[in-house]
Amino acid sequence: MAEKKAKMIIDKDFSIASIDKRIYGSFIEHLGRAVYDGIYCPEHESANEFGFRTDIIELVKELNVPIIRYPGGNFVSNFYWEDSVGPVNERPKRLELAWRSLEENKVGLNEFAKWAKDANSEVMMAINLGTRGVSDACNLLEYCNHKSGTYYSDLRMKHGVKEPHRIKTWCLGNEMDGPWQIGHKTMKEYGRLAEETARAMKLIDPEIELVSCGSSSLQMPTFPKWESTTLEHTYEHVDYISLHQYYGNQENDAADFLAKSDDMDKFIRTVIATCDYVKAKKRGKKDINLSFDEWNVWYHSNAADDDITKNHPWQVAPPMLEDIYTFEDALLVGLMLITLIKHADRVKMACLAQLVNVIAPIMTDANGGGAWKQTIYYPFMHASKYGRGTALLPVINTPKHDTATHEDVTDIESVAVYNEEKEEVTIFAVNRNIHEDIQLVTDVRSFEGYRVAEHIVLENEDLKCANGFANEKVFPVSTSQSTLDQGTLNSLLHKASWNVIRLVK
């Protein structure tokens, strides 16, 4: 028994919302080795007839990713989609300005749509509103979604794709608030362009969903004025606004690093408040929901990336953004997943950025080698597998601590998911106290007749421990650290641990 204790109540009636499965989405950009030498490697022993690695497809299927954002990211803001379709040997090679690489266009729109289908996922398509605009967005939509009988739909059919892709979700550009973005816009410039693009696109296909660009991070100097200003233009025409956020531990302060999910919560709450302000101002009836379509830990590879872009540009698929994740990174990813689930009433989509090789849960050895699971693979897999159903808001009484830049940081962060159809309850919990175990006592009396199916733990004495090919040191194990008796669940949560406690009837 741990000296420290926390109490929690989980009840069927404490419902937040039904969880949209798309919060377990991901992201693949034409960046580094994400596409080439990642999902696509014709010379690999597992490659299928289209050149895609089937071992990677199986790892993606295990994550059960319902939607994947494509093709960027910063890449999209100078992307000419026409380069990526038609006969591969006729496609042009282009200087890719966002990451200063050479894009050969061997994998394009139709190939990626085929890959996504094989991976049991849908495509979230991003359009170029950096160097292009309304007409190009409309042409792309017509190519993808219109059945036949027009120039671009017939062009798709000429390219061997008879049936339309029927892509439902479209991002109106990427990080247009960022001065690093090709074609960076002011708030009013972007708001007007996004408004006119959205209006035209919905005339072509009224069934699509549109995501307006929000702020690139909580730290942007224009946040949250960017949201309020751009939504003044786009409110009537879009369905979501995006959020992007990455965290790092440059200070090597694990306790403060694990508190950064509190900043994510603040970010979400502020965006919701801003969306509701615009709704009230416009006397609107609909809520603008949130698409947190870029989130992760990202900082390990920054120096190497700067060297490549500055000193070794115009390579084909150079090794960029290849963060090797530690155990403490996995804990923060788990905390960020808990935060997303807690906001299931308004966060309807989210994309772990990215999926393969580039700040990713899945890595491949260079030049057609093997594949392996990074530490962050596991909390994402657990949430995607067991986090389907209704999010339940826990009532928690937990010890707290202060860190270098955060006050009143809860030792225990937790959320529960009730899958009524399967008669399962899953509690996700992180003990972010890096020094002390905590005994968590949970009142689950509203789930009469349930028993503990398993308690899965991800933990390691070394917070800096990482995985490698054929050398997996951080992986989940099943334990007997939870017992249930007469509606009281007793769980031992070790210091610095990710916990998945599953109850079944």
Side-chain angles (χ1 to χ4, degrees), residues 463-480:
L463 291 172
K464 304 300 183 183
C465 190
N467 292 343
F469 178 61
N471 187 25
E472 190 169 325
K473 298 176 181 178
V474 179
F475 53 87
V477 296
S478 292
T479 74
S480 56

Side-chain angles (χ1 to χ4, degrees), residues 217-398:
S217 76
L218 178 65
Q219 292 77 27
M220 292 300 291
T222 53
F223 175 76
K225 191 175 181 181
W226 174 276
E227 281 75 5
S228 63
T229 302
T230 59
L231 283 174
E232 287 275 355
H233 297 281
T234 62
Y235 174 83
E236 286 86 0
H237 309 287
V238 303
D239 308 280
Y240 306 90
I241 193 163
S242 70
L243 300 81
H244 293 178
Q245 187 69 60
Y246 299 96
Y247 295 111
N249 188 13
Q250 292 88 346
E251 298 79 15
N252 196 24
D253 183 339
D256 198 56
F257 178 58
L258 296 181
K260 291 184 178 181
S261 59
D262 291 1
D263 300 333
M264 185 187 196
D265 180 77
K266 177 183 177 182
F267 190 13
I268 291 171
R269 290 180 185 278
T270 306
V271 174
I272 291 172
T274 308
C275 291
D276 290 348
Y277 160 74
V278 176
K279 175 186 176 182
K281 188 175 180 180
K282 286 184 167 285
R283 309 293 195 266
K285 294 183 178 180
K286 70 174 184 180
D287 288 334
I288 299 294
N289 287 319
L290 278 55
S291 175
F292 213 127
D293 48 41
E294 285 190 34
W295 68 272
N296 204 344
V297 173
W298 174 19
Y299 75 102
H300 297 282
S301 62
N302 290 351
D305 298 336
D306 288 344
D307 178 60
I308 289 174
T309 56
K310 292 176 182 177
N311 301 319
H312 308 283
W314 316 127
Q315 298 181 61
V316 176
M320 295 187 65
L321 281 68
E322 297 201 4
D323 278 35
I324 301 301
Y325 287 116
T326 64
F327 170 60
E328 69 181 7
D329 296 332
L331 290 179
L332 184 61
V333 165
L335 287 160
M336 294 173 81
L337 285 160
I338 288 172
T339 303
L340 291 171
I341 295 170
K342 280 185 174 181
H343 288 286
D345 57 331
R346 295 297 289 273
V347 178
K348 299 300 182 180
M349 296 187 292
C351 300
L352 177 70
Q354 296 187 17
L355 189 52
V356 182
N357 285 335
V358 172
I359 47 175
I362 300 169
M363 292 295 294
T364 69
D365 277 354
N367 302 316
W372 44 280
K373 300 173 181 177
Q374 292 236 57
T375 61
I376 66 170
Y377 185 96
Y378 292 107
F380 187 83
M381 179 189 71
H382 291 149
S384 180
K385 186 174 183 180
Y386 302 120
R388 311 286 178 111
T390 301
L392 302 179
L393 183 66
V395 178
I396 305 178
N397 185 345
T398 171

Side-chain angles (χ1 to χ4, degrees), residues 393-442:
L393 183 66
V395 178
I396 305 178
N397 185 345
T398 171
K400 297 179 181 180
H401 60 273
D402 293 340
T403 68
T405 63
H406 298 82
E407 295 180 348
D408 292 328
V409 178
T410 53
D411 283 1
I412 302 299
E413 273 294 295
S414 182
V415 73
V417 177
Y418 174 41
N419 190 320
E420 187 173 8
E421 182 181 350
K422 293 185 176 180
E423 295 188 312
E424 293 180 356
V425 182
T426 301
I427 298 170
F428 300 106
V430 174
N431 180 359
R432 54 180 172 176
N433 185 321
I434 62 175
H435 302 293
E436 298 173 277
D437 298 348
I438 295 179
Q439 191 74 27
L440 176 63
V441 180
T442 307

